[in-house]
Amino acid sequence: MALSGMRGLSVFISEIRNCQNKEQERLRVDKELGNIRTRFKNEKGLTPYDKKKYVWKMLYIFMLGYDVDFGHMEAVSLISAPKYPEKQVGYLVTSCLLNENHDFLRLAINTVRNDIIGRNETFQCLALTMVGNIGGREFAESLAPDVQKLLVSSSCRPLVRKKAALCLLRLFRKNPDVVNVDGWSDRMTQLLDEKNLGVLTSSMSLFVALVSNNHEAYWSCLPKCVKVLERLARNQDIPQEYTYYGIPSPWLQVKTMRALQYFPTVEDPNTRRALFEVLQRILMGTDVVKNVNKNNASHAVLFEALALVMHLDAEKEMMSQCVALLGKFIAVREPNIRYLGLENMTRMLMVTDVQDIIKRHQAQIITSLKDPDISIRRRALDLLYGMCDVSNAKDIVEELLQYLGTADFTMREELALKAAILAEKFAPDLSWYVDVILQLIDKAGDFVSDDIWFRVVQFVTNNEDLQPYAALKAREYLDKPAIHETMVKVSAYLLGEYSHLLARRPGCSPKDIFVIIHEKLPTVSTPTISILLSTYAKILMHSQPPDPELQNQIWAIFSKYETCIDTEIQQRAVEYFALSRKGEALMDILAEMPKFPERESSLIKKAEDTEADTAELSAIKSRTQQQASNALVVTSEREPPQLGMVKIPSVDHNSVSVDQELTQANGISHEVDHPQPDILGDLLSPLAIEAPPPPVSEDDALALAPVEEQDNIVKPIGDTAERFHALCLKDSGVLYEDPYVQIGIKADWRGHQGRLVIFLGNKTTSSLTSVQAVVLPPSHLKLELSSVPEVIPPRAQVQCPVEVVNLGPSRDVAVLDFSYMFGTSLVESKLRLPAVINKFFQPIPVSTEEFFPQWRSLAGPPLKLQEVVRGVRAMSLGEMSHLFSSLRLIVCPGLDPNPSNLVATTTFYSESTRAMLCLVRIETDPADRTQLRMTVASQDPTLTFELKEYIKEHLVSIPTAPSMPQQPQPIASSDPGALLAGLL
């Protein structure tokens, strides 16, 4: 592409490079485009040189990122020029500016075909290059036969045949239904005998595409591929230009071994023996050297050879050799080599009888778990998880627990799940399993899903010998000054059921148990309060005849919560208060929970459903078939057991009677033939009986920002607006769900920056296609969404990180425009993302000496705003403090002398304001909880106003659109809809 002689083009490029800013560049480009447009209108006065020069300028402007919407005809017309310089420009610019559906391409088909079938090799190469780059359907229909003839022609030079092979490959990949390759087995056999390595490499690329589509038609080519490998391994007739750092054509070796992996097996004994000799030579001749380029080439060949060895199920001796070689790789310093070694060792777990050999490298794999590179740590975790069995489970789980305290934030969730699964599958005894799960909750409670502690409760309930030990361990953890709320849940449940087994131990009397549990009540959330009320009732039941002092204390708690704003807590308190007055009859009513029916472990099922690595998944499945585990076994039928908790129908007109055969799946009620109550869920979920979820709102179902309405055939499951509001107060959860897809959010916020991870989960057994996700940011946020795959495989999950930068205070929200195809249906959703103003708060306590000078310095509007807020949801000061904590404001007790008032502070971060202190004062009226006076102050007037309005929105009931009835939609009981919610 010589530019010599084109002085105008060179001057234009120089002027563009000398522009001081983007605006100058745009003005210069617009001026040049206007000049070119004027010249093209007077086409008669254009010489071929001028046309070529202006087309070059158009291409350069296009490469700078500007739209070029004219001059396409002039570019196409240059293709038919008789001279090479003009023809080269025409082909090159046409390839860049026009796509496969452009109408002007039809005008060039005959010219391109004439160049392909002509005798000028240079013109042939230009034409083949353009056809391969564009790859349109019309090109495939018109030109594929001519390209095939060029490929097998013996009179063409190797350069032309190479381009013909790659051009045909592109046409076949783009239009496999148009390019006719029937009967090409003999032609491919002939091409694989080619002596020229350039033609052979291009033909091998085409062969890989053909056998991936239909290997049955190409069995006759298999011996030829083995001969190609033999030729390369022995370095026979390999020109110097195809030898890369002493390795004969590594690209051809990789392609050939990849093609062989599409054949199920090598049946001919002579061919198989020859192939294994080549593979043995590759394994023996590969080692780590100092030259990086040679390492890259040799390792590419080696790892493809390893994949082929695993595919062909080689003898155990060769497998052992492969593992030993990988063991060397995971011990070197180079991180790339270490990563590849761990990844391929994980894939080796698919092969039977090599697990014991891999275990020899366990110490080195554990060392990799502490590598600075997170990708290596992830590979090491996957490998440890896959290689674990009864013999080494204790060591591996202890290492994982030790690593959990220092593990990266993004790994802790996966780490906790895998440690729990391994402890369950390979526990040497159940007491060790209980210890592991309690340690897991203690060290990483935020990342332990409810399924994990549900499972340990099932084990304890089903094993009477384990119950005293589990209750004692729960009692010990409650002695700690600060424990996670999940630990409070599991400890309260276990002590409520089995604390009577510890009655003779010091400090374990019913009163002692009650006191230590009740100390945790002020610090827990509403769902946990429900569990604690159940525990108090159980303690009262186990202490019959009751201790009057203990009984009065528990009755006082029940009486207090009889007026709670939360209907679930209120109903429990009322019912337990009434039941506890029945005396000894209470022992029959609140009897100990019966044993759970045997069922499949939800943790193991979750791991199999959400596993992203196919190789690791295969290894897990094969090992599950080979080894017995301690996990409970699923049964197809079970009788509904007698529940230990009395079910009382709700007085709500929307609730459902116990006798009605209704169940809930993914938030939708539907009829079933045989209800199977989940005992643990009944006791721990909001009340023993619960009404079906409210109907989905038609207008607000997608938690829309103010954008145009949508009319999708597929309706969301559950109230998406409520999901959004819940995610405004927490950092992980489900944002949206419908029968086909589930979208979850997990976020990490630090200062004025944040990272949102959007989890897109396919709940079906079919692929979701045409997946698109675009984030529409408001003016105060800078968001960058990573690439979103166009296809989500069946029952798979993809993660799409979003980097967030806060530029200033605002209550506007970003919108996720998400769409996908399921079958022939297009599903579109516009969802608000929970990147709201309180996510950029950092609660910092302020002393009296710091607060009052700041408060006085902010004298009045607009830095200090005051408003009387009416229509406030009735809540106590404690509940309001909990709401403020959820909003990332810290309540400062003692700053306001009036006990009915509340003072809170936080620090707001943005790129424009950096750290800025915010002060909030709430003055309540004890006689009327529906109104209050709120004062908000900060050093930025916009921040003061936005914060005041945002807090007011949460103090007043959040409005929802009127409900509309929704048709019940049955969901299969095996539906993996909990895929995302469980992981989050």
Side-chain angles (χ1 to χ4, degrees), residues 31 47 416 502 555 645 735 800 894:
K31 177 182 178 182
T47 64
L502 309 176
W555 281 359
M645 183 172 179
L735 178 65
C800 306

PDB file of all heavy atoms in Angstrom, residues 31 47 416 502 555 645 735 800 894:
ATOM      1  N   LYS A  31     -14.214  19.284   6.338  1.00  0.00           N
ATOM      2  CA  LYS A  31     -13.786  20.051   5.170  1.00  0.00           C
ATOM      3  C   LYS A  31     -13.342  19.120   4.049  1.00  0.00           C
ATOM      4  O   LYS A  31     -13.707  19.321   2.875  1.00  0.00           O
ATOM      5  CB  LYS A  31     -12.644  20.983   5.570  1.00  0.00           C
ATOM      6  CG  LYS A  31     -12.061  21.789   4.413  1.00  0.00           C
ATOM      7  CD  LYS A  31     -10.905  22.662   4.885  1.00  0.00           C
ATOM      8  CE  LYS A  31     -10.291  23.417   3.713  1.00  0.00           C
ATOM      9  NZ  LYS A  31      -9.115  24.248   4.142  1.00  0.00           N
ATOM     10  N   THR A  47      -9.502  11.801 -12.875  1.00  0.00           N
ATOM     11  CA  THR A  47      -8.588  10.798 -13.433  1.00  0.00           C
ATOM     12  C   THR A  47      -8.558   9.590 -12.499  1.00  0.00           C
ATOM     13  O   THR A  47      -8.945   9.677 -11.327  1.00  0.00           O
ATOM     14  CB  THR A  47      -7.176  11.379 -13.550  1.00  0.00           C
ATOM     15  OG1 THR A  47      -6.680  11.687 -12.231  1.00  0.00           O
ATOM     16  CG2 THR A  47      -7.188  12.663 -14.376  1.00  0.00           C
ATOM     17  N   ALA A 416     -16.818 -20.704  49.814  1.00  0.00           N
ATOM     18  CA  ALA A 416     -17.697 -21.194  50.876  1.00  0.00           C
ATOM     19  C   ALA A 416     -18.593 -22.325  50.383  1.00  0.00           C
ATOM     20  O   ALA A 416     -18.779 -23.334  51.071  1.00  0.00           O
ATOM     21  CB  ALA A 416     -18.547 -20.037  51.409  1.00  0.00           C
ATOM     22  N   LEU A 502     -28.602 -30.357  77.153  1.00  0.00           N
ATOM     23  CA  LEU A 502     -27.435 -29.794  77.836  1.00  0.00           C
ATOM     24  C   LEU A 502     -27.779 -29.278  79.227  1.00  0.00           C
ATOM     25  O   LEU A 502     -26.953 -28.601  79.860  1.00  0.00           O
ATOM     26  CB  LEU A 502     -26.854 -28.631  77.014  1.00  0.00           C
ATOM     27  CG  LEU A 502     -26.559 -28.879  75.537  1.00  0.00           C
ATOM     28  CD1 LEU A 502     -26.088 -27.592  74.891  1.00  0.00           C
ATOM     29  CD2 LEU A 502     -25.529 -29.976  75.372  1.00  0.00           C
ATOM     30  N   TRP A 555     -42.986 -14.115  78.116  1.00  0.00           N
ATOM     31  CA  TRP A 555     -44.313 -13.553  77.834  1.00  0.00           C
ATOM     32  C   TRP A 555     -44.227 -12.052  77.550  1.00  0.00           C
ATOM     33  O   TRP A 555     -44.950 -11.519  76.718  1.00  0.00           O
ATOM     34  CB  TRP A 555     -45.231 -13.816  79.032  1.00  0.00           C
ATOM     35  CG  TRP A 555     -45.763 -15.232  79.037  1.00  0.00           C
ATOM     36  CD1 TRP A 555     -45.516 -16.192  78.136  1.00  0.00           C
ATOM     37  CD2 TRP A 555     -46.635 -15.811  80.025  1.00  0.00           C
ATOM     38  NE1 TRP A 555     -46.157 -17.364  78.466  1.00  0.00           N
ATOM     39  CE2 TRP A 555     -46.867 -17.149  79.635  1.00  0.00           C
ATOM     40  CE3 TRP A 555     -47.216 -15.333  81.200  1.00  0.00           C
ATOM     41  CZ2 TRP A 555     -47.668 -18.017  80.377  1.00  0.00           C
ATOM     42  CZ3 TRP A 555     -48.035 -16.193  81.934  1.00  0.00           C
ATOM     43  CH2 TRP A 555     -48.251 -17.525  81.530  1.00  0.00           C
ATOM     44  N   MET A 645     -44.726 -27.660  64.172  1.00  0.00           N
ATOM     45  CA  MET A 645     -45.258 -26.327  64.420  1.00  0.00           C
ATOM     46  C   MET A 645     -46.704 -26.275  63.982  1.00  0.00           C
ATOM     47  O   MET A 645     -47.072 -26.778  62.928  1.00  0.00           O
ATOM     48  CB  MET A 645     -44.441 -25.291  63.647  1.00  0.00           C
ATOM     49  CG  MET A 645     -44.861 -23.879  63.898  1.00  0.00           C
ATOM     50  SD  MET A 645     -43.709 -22.774  63.130  1.00  0.00           S
ATOM     51  CE  MET A 645     -44.480 -21.229  63.566  1.00  0.00           C
ATOM     52  N   LEU A 735     -32.566  -9.354  40.844  1.00  0.00           N
ATOM     53  CA  LEU A 735     -33.150  -8.125  40.304  1.00  0.00           C
ATOM     54  C   LEU A 735     -34.372  -8.410  39.451  1.00  0.00           C
ATOM     55  O   LEU A 735     -35.335  -7.657  39.456  1.00  0.00           O
ATOM     56  CB  LEU A 735     -32.091  -7.375  39.480  1.00  0.00           C
ATOM     57  CG  LEU A 735     -32.535  -6.082  38.793  1.00  0.00           C
ATOM     58  CD1 LEU A 735     -32.897  -5.029  39.832  1.00  0.00           C
ATOM     59  CD2 LEU A 735     -31.446  -5.558  37.870  1.00  0.00           C
ATOM     60  N   CYS A 800     -21.383 -10.447  34.081  1.00  0.00           N
ATOM     61  CA  CYS A 800     -21.068  -9.243  33.324  1.00  0.00           C
ATOM     62  C   CYS A 800     -20.747  -8.119  34.309  1.00  0.00           C
ATOM     63  O   CYS A 800     -21.665  -7.492  34.855  1.00  0.00           O
ATOM     64  CB  CYS A 800     -22.241  -8.842  32.430  1.00  0.00           C
ATOM     65  SG  CYS A 800     -22.799 -10.153  31.338  1.00  0.00           S
ATOM     66  N   GLY A 894     -26.893   9.841  71.936  1.00  0.00           N
ATOM     67  CA  GLY A 894     -26.368  10.768  72.934  1.00  0.00           C
ATOM     68  C   GLY A 894     -26.110  12.169  72.434  1.00  0.00           C
ATOM     69  O   GLY A 894     -25.859  13.075  73.235  1.00  0.00           O
TER      70      GLY A 894
END
